[in-house]
Amino acid sequence: MPERSESDSRKLLRRLRDTLATPGKGQDRLDAITHLIADSMGTEVCSIYLFRDPETLELCATEGLNKDAVHKTRMKLGEGLVGRVARSGLPVNAADAPSEKGFRYMPETGEELFSSFLGVPIQRVGERLGVLVVQSKTARQFSDDDIYALDVVAMVLAEMTELGAFVGDDGGMRALHKQPVMLRGSSGQEGAAEGHVWLHEPRVVITNPVADDPLTEIDRIRDAVGQLRVSVDDLLSAESLDKEQKAVLEAYRMFAHSRGWLRRMEEDIQRGLSAEAAVEREQNAARNRLEQVPDAYLRERLQDLDDLSNRLLRILTGQGRDTGAEMPENPVLVARNIGPAELLEYGRKLKGVVLDEGSVGSHAAIVARALAIPLVINAGRAVNEALNGDHILVDGDQGIVHLRPEETVARAFRDKIAMLTEAQKRYASLRGLPATATCGATVALHMNAGLMADLPSLEGSGAEGVGLFRTELQFLVRSKMPQRAELARLYARVMDAAKGKRVAFRTLDIGSDKVLPYMKPPEEPNPAMGWRAIRVGLDKPGVLRMQLQALIRAAAGRPLTVMFPLITELGEFREARAHVMRELHREKSLGHLVPEKVEIGAMMETPSLAYAPQAFFELTDFISIGGNDLKQFFFAADRENELVRRRYDTLNISFLSFLQQIVARCRDTGTPLSFCGEDAGRPIEALALAAIGFRSLSMRPASVGPVKALIRQVSLIDALAVIEAARADGAESARPALMDWLAGQGG
Ligand code: PEP
Ligand code: MG
């Protein structure tokens, strides 16, 4: 890089910084900057275009174009050369702009007079803010150095924008992170919460993008990169890494030791950037490349570089996860994604969770559900938009997030929360009462659980017991396989907390969406229909047996209830049951106390089991329908796939008919039957299930109240008649008829 251009760009940056340091209005500063850049670059024109909304750019300041066009000229993303820069995030350098494809003539600016155009994006990591343009009359091919210099200036502008340098009522920029934003994601867990943002990984704020002393900055960056290398090497030497984690860390190491990366950052510093700004500049460049790369593998590697840059920024600024910032009151966690163990660590202090990514079946979602914290997933750009402490509303029912909401929105939202709280109070008053319908039939309501943290709800919710204890959560939140003694202690605590109420422990249900961090899943074309749940347990019985031993020891003579997930045929149930018998026998022979009574049940989650031989219904002590899985296999619609998961109604007459057959078979053999999928917790669905003969339902604790309240108001005989009438009418679903009927009941 030529010496001259280095110091030129340093000079420009210094002038820029001085301009920004003098007090002034936002618009005045923008005007001064365009003047300064045009002067330094030797161009007639310099203009700053900023986003008004995600689709529209507005000319916000100019030197050389018609000043009357400021705040008037607008263009859509992708429109004209400016729009092209904004969309691609890449510079456009055109010696003869009017002949360039996509050039848009804007008479109000007097632009046709200028032939050469150089535009660079104004962006901050992950966030496009606008476009910086210089133009000249004479046809001129801007050099690489010119592009570089303008790019560095644009980056400093972006940093200053973040710090609010151009905000003003005088037509300057709207402040970032000040406006209300509504984000639409999907529902991960129902419920509503109001609180303040707590960023899992707070954004690093750079207050000093320009630095005077390159030597000091180079020392700082070298030192920080040195620390980064050591920390990556340390991570790599950890013993418990699997192959995949190792591969990722190897890639980290490769980048951390890459001479090119450090050299580019040092060059940026020579041009006048501070060490932090240099890291961010390279991070921006990597992000832009990321978007252009079609190859998934390369994209992942660039993602690694992005993560690494964040680590480096944290080292340089001392900001980041452990900033010492205090968690605000009513914290709502905002993160790109989060692991189950980390989420569990925050625990119930969180009022809500918002994830940019995530999926309904992700482990974080499972934990959020277990903790009954409203969760919105796929929120898109929450991490970019939110700042620690921002006021936030989370609508887990609709999958909507309001960030820094207007007061009217907040008021309406509070009404909703108040209504929910009011309803909860009403439900609490029913706590000691049974779910007895007006026809006299009673439905036993149980709760689903998976964590020790769930157990206090057993009393609060009015549930009669735990109809489904998902034991895999304990495995999912650990970084290594739990030991038998540890599990036995935990199960004993669960039974203690249940105070004699029945807890149906489901043995490990892994595979499909539930992948243990320490057990690499096999490559499967369709994991939901693959090697999962009891299939793994029977093929590799070591963990199953260890778990059964832990359960028997935990019971220490008390009654024990065990059930097996995804039993598909009689033989599997026989085999699984035999494991229990064998372990009971073994424990007894070791002199351990064995449970006074053991119930062994099967989860019916595949249609095949509904048609199993009579012997199955006779052998099993009870059946619990895993409606989430049973429904996905009945309709062949993946419960995880947003495109189809809501496509078929649980109250579809075909599905209800199928469930009725199961009820009838269980009645014939006197086999206790329960339903424990998510649908059991939805009042209308629960009512329909009760109407067709289910006398036991297991659901999230928060659902017990609403379900009980509805069942107590209606006659199940009448509800069944409504379903039968809908069937006779040839309806696809019983829902409309049931809703009409309920509306008529005033329900
Ligand atoms: C089900 O499939 O309905 C069920 C309760 O099990 P899980 O949701 O844990 O698969
Ligand atoms: Mg299931």
Side-chain angles (χ1 to χ4, degrees):
M1 213 118 333
E3 191 55 36
R4 189 190 60 83
S5 94
E6 261 181 31
S7 62
D8 275 357
S9 96
R10 251 212 314 278
K11 234 185 279 163
L12 170 55
L13 284 185
R14 208 170 304 139
R15 284 177 69 190
L16 186 62
R17 186 188 53 188
D18 294 345
T19 308
L20 291 169
T22 48
K25 291 186 175 163
Q27 186 65 47
D28 293 347
R29 283 181 164 166
L30 286 173
D31 291 344
I33 287 168
T34 50
H35 173 76
L36 180 89
I37 297 172
D39 181 44
S40 294
M41 303 276 298
T43 57
E44 285 89 359
V45 175
C46 172
S47 313
I48 295 175
Y49 297 82
L50 296 169
F51 278 105
R52 271 283 130 191
D53 58 60
E55 290 296 314
T56 320
L57 286 150
E58 179 177 301
L59 177 67
C60 284
T62 185
E63 170 77 17
L65 293 185
N66 185 352
K67 296 256 188 216
D68 291 341
V70 170
H71 296 306
K72 294 208 180 71
T73 292
R74 293 188 178 176
M75 61 204 66
K76 289 278 167 221
L77 187 65
E79 186 186 356
L81 299 185
V82 173
R84 198 205 296 174
V85 176
R87 167 167 286 166
S88 67
L90 299 171
V92 167
N93 180 7
D96 182 10
S99 70
E100 193 74 12
K101 191 165 161 260
F103 175 81
R104 195 191 132 213
Y105 170 55
M106 287 174 291
E108 71 273 23
T109 62
E111 185 170 39
E112 87 277 25
L113 296 171
F114 301 99
S115 60
S116 302
F117 174 104
L118 171 60
V120 297
I122 303 173
Q123 58 193 345
R124 248 202 122 238
V125 181
E127 201 169 12
R128 300 222 167 118
L129 305 171
V131 177
L132 175 62
V133 173
V134 288
Q135 289 170 282
S136 76
K137 269 186 195 151
T138 43
R140 158 179 176 185
Q141 185 77 44
F142 290 100
S143 69
D144 285 352
D145 280 339
D146 292 330
I147 301 176
Y148 189 100
L150 200 63
D151 197 35
V152 168
V153 169
M155 163 157 182
V156 172
L157 283 181
E159 289 307 324
M160 303 319 271
T161 308
E162 171 76 24
L163 295 175
F166 310 120
V167 175
D169 311 327
D170 55 340
M173 254 203 90
R174 292 180 315 156
L176 282 177
H177 307 297
K178 291 272 190 309
Q179 306 294 315
V181 177
M182 187 183 104
L183 301 167
R184 208 176 273 280
S186 5
S187 165
Q189 155 76 17
E190 290 94 355
E194 174 173 17
H196 297 99
V197 169
W198 179 251
L199 285 164
H200 182 52
E201 296 214 300
R203 54 206 286 130
V204 174
V205 182
I206 298 177
T207 48
N208 59 336
V210 181
D212 281 329
D213 180 2
L215 290 181
T216 312
E217 295 303 301
I218 284 179
D219 278 351
R220 289 183 63 225
I221 194 92
R222 286 188 182 163
D223 188 42
V225 169
Q227 286 185 45
L228 180 74
R229 287 175 181 166
V230 172
S231 74
V232 173
D233 290 347
D234 282 354
L235 282 175
L236 252 171
S237 61
E239 275 168 21
S240 58
L241 298 176
D242 67 21
K243 245 170 71 203
E244 209 161 315
Q245 288 166 318
K246 257 212 172 97
V248 170
L249 285 173
E250 287 292 357
Y252 274 29
R253 173 149 71 182
M254 193 186 77
F255 283 122
H257 288 267
S258 142
R259 281 172 201 283
W261 188 39
L262 183 58
R263 195 195 60 237
R264 283 195 303 277
M265 291 191 287
E266 290 186 2
E267 278 170 12
D268 294 334
I269 290 172
Q270 293 288 7
R271 303 281 188 138
L273 289 187
S274 66
E276 290 87 344
V279 177
E280 202 172 288
R281 184 174 187 279
E282 292 312 314
Q283 192 177 15
N284 274 336
R287 283 218 179 185
N288 287 336
R289 283 202 297 275
L290 193 80
E291 284 171 21
Q292 317 285 324
V293 173
D295 180 275
Y297 176 80
L298 274 180
R299 262 207 316 271
E300 258 176 47
R301 294 290 75 84
L302 286 169
Q303 189 74 50
D304 293 341
L305 184 59
D306 198 54
D307 285 348
L308 213 59
S309 306
N310 282 332
R311 278 171 193 248
L312 193 54
L313 278 177
R314 286 204 288 270
I315 295 175
L316 278 166
T317 58
Q319 299 172 31
R321 214 179 286 189
D322 306 308
T323 51
E326 262 196 42
M327 200 181 255
E329 256 182 66
N330 299 323
V332 170
L333 186 86
V334 176
R336 201 166 71 180
N337 221 336
I338 188 167
E342 286 169 308
L343 186 54
L344 202 57
E345 235 167 74
Y346 285 110
R348 285 191 201 275
K349 26 178 199 270
L350 297 179
K351 291 286 169 239
V353 179
V354 177
L355 299 179
D356 281 2
E357 299 168 7
S359 70
V360 267
S362 68
H363 302 158
I366 295 172
V367 171
R369 238 167 273 152
L371 296 172
I373 301 172
L375 165 71
V376 172
I377 52 173
N378 291 323
R381 42 196 182 91
V383 169
N384 267 336
E385 293 284 359
L387 288 185
N388 260 345
D390 277 350
H391 185 197
I392 186 169
L393 310 173
V394 183
D395 184 338
D397 300 332
Q398 309 285 326
I400 289 176
V401 177
H402 296 277
L403 201 55
R404 303 175 288 267
E406 308 269 9
E407 194 42 38
T408 44
V409 175
R411 230 177 288 135
F413 197 80
R414 270 175 219 134
D415 288 346
K416 177 176 170 149
I417 295 181
M419 257 167 57
L420 291 176
T421 319
E422 199 44 50
Q424 287 302 337
K425 270 196 217 143
R426 221 165 356 104
Y427 302 143
S429 68
L430 302 177
R431 196 180 300 154
L433 302 174
T436 303
T438 57
C439 58
T442 298
V443 184
L445 304 185
H446 299 264
M447 63 171 243
N448 297 343
L451 298 168
M452 205 43 223
D454 289 319
L455 269 297
S457 306
L458 187 50
E459 225 158 290
S461 68
E464 292 183 24
V466 177
L468 165 66
F469 190 90
R470 291 181 161 104
T471 59
E472 60 276 5
L473 287 191
Q474 298 302 332
F475 287 74
L476 285 170
V477 298
R478 282 176 166 70
S479 55
K480 59 181 202 302
M481 181 73 80
Q483 306 281 311
R484 181 179 58 195
E486 196 185 342
L487 285 182
R489 271 197 304 277
L490 182 105
Y491 298 151
R493 277 171 55 214
V494 171
M495 290 183 215
D496 293 346
K499 300 196 182 118
K501 288 183 174 164
R502 179 176 177 269
V503 181
F505 287 96
R506 173 175 77 183
T507 62
L508 195 57
D509 182 4
I510 51 156
S512 185
D513 57 314
K514 298 165 195 149
V515 177
L516 299 185
Y518 39 85
M519 239 165 98
K520 193 171 168 11
E523 286 280 332
E524 292 187 283
N526 191 344
M529 294 205 249
W531 197 56
R532 51 172 290 208
I534 196 62
R535 301 171 184 178
V536 181
L538 295 179
D539 292 353
K540 294 237 182 279
V543 179
L544 178 65
R545 289 179 46 199
M546 182 269 277
Q547 201 183 14
L548 291 172
Q549 289 158 12
L551 283 167
I552 295 168
R553 290 187 191 182
R558 292 175 283 193
L560 175 65
T561 306
V562 181
M563 61 184 184
F564 296 107
L566 207 80
I567 296 287
T568 304
E569 56 179 20
L570 169 61
E572 285 177 346
F573 182 65
R574 280 208 176 111
E575 214 184 313
R577 193 173 176 279
H579 277 295
V580 183
M581 294 308 176
R582 207 172 305 131
E583 293 314 320
L584 281 171
H585 181 73
R586 182 173 168 274
E587 289 296 304
K588 205 171 182 172
S589 63
L590 288 173
H592 292 146
L593 260 183
V594 292
E596 62 184 40
K597 176 178 158 219
V598 182
E599 277 184 284
I600 308 172
M603 284 191 72
M604 187 179 280
E605 305 194 87
T606 64
S608 65
L609 201 62
Y611 303 99
Q614 178 89 348
F616 164 70
F617 289 85
E618 287 166 357
L619 185 63
T620 186
D621 290 326
F622 65 93
I623 291 174
S624 186
I625 291 188
N628 306 333
D629 275 311
L630 188 62
K631 189 179 157 195
Q632 84 166 337
F633 294 126
F634 185 81
F635 289 112
D638 189 338
R639 62 193 260 193
E640 292 268 327
N641 183 339
E642 287 298 329
L643 292 173
V644 297
R645 75 184 186 94
R646 277 187 268 253
R647 191 176 175 97
Y648 304 102
D649 192 353
T650 306
L651 301 189
N652 182 302
I653 293 287
S654 320
F655 192 51
L656 291 181
S657 305
F658 173 58
L659 294 176
Q660 281 172 300
Q661 287 183 29
I662 301 169
V663 171
R665 288 204 74 181
C666 289
R667 209 174 270 153
D668 286 349
T669 45
T671 314
L673 175 66
S674 179
F675 188 107
C676 68
E678 294 302 314
D679 285 318
R682 303 193 170 109
I684 310 278
E685 280 80 342
L687 168 61
L689 292 169
I692 62 171
F694 283 86
R695 288 295 170 266
S696 170
L697 302 173
S698 191
M699 60 199 71
R700 293 183 297 125
S703 299
V704 174
V707 167
K708 188 188 284 184
L710 180 60
I711 289 179
R712 285 176 60 86
Q713 279 172 38
V714 295
S715 153
L716 297 183
I717 297 172
D718 292 353
L720 180 61
V722 172
I723 295 173
E724 295 304 352
R727 189 198 319 273
D729 280 354
E732 188 111 78
S733 163
R735 189 178 301 274
L738 273 174
M739 298 292 278
D740 276 357
W741 174 68
L742 279 175
Q745 305 268 301

